[in-house]
Amino acid sequence: RVEDQRDGRVDEFLSPGGLTEFCRFLNKNKTVVHEPPIHLQARRTLEDGRPFELELALQWNDSYTEQAVCFTNNIRNRDGGTHLTGFRMAMTRVVNDYAEKEGLNKKQKEPLSGEDIREGLVVVIAVKLADPKFSSQTKDKLVSSEVTPIVQAVTAEKLSEYLQEHPAEAKKV
């Protein structure tokens, strides 16, 4: 919400769908594999006691490229960072574990690579934490090392739950 105190004009920047709606927007000219986008959200506490929030929306499409849009405290991180690293690690492990458990990869000798799993993926990741560390003044990359393990743990937990609760979408993916 932005208010111009000179003339009383108020502009609100709000999308009722939040990150899920943004994920749909990024996929608007593509054929999506599943609908609606997967939305995960959690609040935790870092080891040093600081509060931490993670929200992400992801959806696969029929393209061959990954598109990841990352934010820290509502600031865009063009080069991703430790939150993207944690997400990718969890995504690879969870999808491979699910495929193994459900017998979906019987024809393959090796597990899927992270690049294979992220092919056609659009993901929007937003974290909120006090005192984040960035690689430069432009805040293009989050480098707070404590973020990777918590994003990895939360993503693994929530995504595993989602795949178990939505087997039809899981198999499409």
Side-chain angles (χ1 to χ4, degrees):
R1 175 183 164 122
V2 177
E3 183 177 344
D4 188 337
Q5 294 180 349
R6 297 172 296 183
D7 61 8
R9 191 179 91 204
V10 175
D11 289 316
E12 287 198 53
F13 302 94
L14 171 71
S15 174
L19 295 187
T20 303
E21 197 62 37
F22 187 38
C23 189
R24 278 192 179 109
F25 171 77
L26 294 172
N27 270 322
K28 72 179 177 181
N29 295 325
K30 300 172 184 129
T31 303
V32 296
V33 174
H34 60 93
E35 184 66 47
I38 299 169
H39 180 256
L40 309 175
Q41 191 170 12
R43 290 182 179 179
R44 298 287 192 275
T45 303
L46 295 171
E47 288 183 13
D48 61 8
R50 290 181 290 161
F52 176 84
E53 288 183 43
L54 169 67
E55 182 179 3
L56 60 92
L58 57 129
Q59 187 175 41
W60 277 269
N61 59 55
D62 64 352
S63 74
Y64 296 101
T65 58
E66 172 192 17
Q67 183 177 8
V69 182
C70 301
F71 297 90
T72 303
N73 297 342
N74 298 326
I75 299 167
R76 171 84 188 269
N77 310 122
R78 295 190 189 287
D79 297 331
T82 53
H83 44 352
L84 181 58
T85 301
F87 167 77
R88 286 177 171 167
M89 292 166 66
M91 172 65 72
T92 302
R93 186 174 43 125
V94 167
V95 171
N96 274 314
D97 289 350
Y98 182 82
E100 180 73 30
K101 181 179 169 191
E102 297 297 319
L104 300 174
N105 59 354
K106 291 179 182 177
K107 297 176 186 174
Q108 298 174 332
K109 295 176 184 170
E110 296 181 20
L112 293 168
S113 72
E115 289 177 359
D116 291 334
I117 293 167
R118 294 188 310 269
E119 191 173 282
L121 176 67
V122 171
V123 61
V124 182
I125 303 171
V127 296
K128 293 183 181 176
L129 72 152
D131 195 30
K133 307 286 186 278
F134 299 98
S135 64
S136 66
Q137 282 186 321
T138 57
K139 298 180 169 82
D140 285 339
K141 186 173 185 178
L142 179 68
V143 295
S144 298
S145 60
E146 68 274 14
V147 171
T148 300
I150 196 161
V151 169
Q152 185 177 3
V154 170
T155 301
E157 172 193 332
K158 298 289 185 180
L159 188 58
S160 293
E161 287 173 13
Y162 180 88
L163 295 176
Q164 293 299 321
E165 293 171 5
H166 302 88
E169 279 79 16
K171 288 178 182 169
K172 288 178 189 175
V173 169

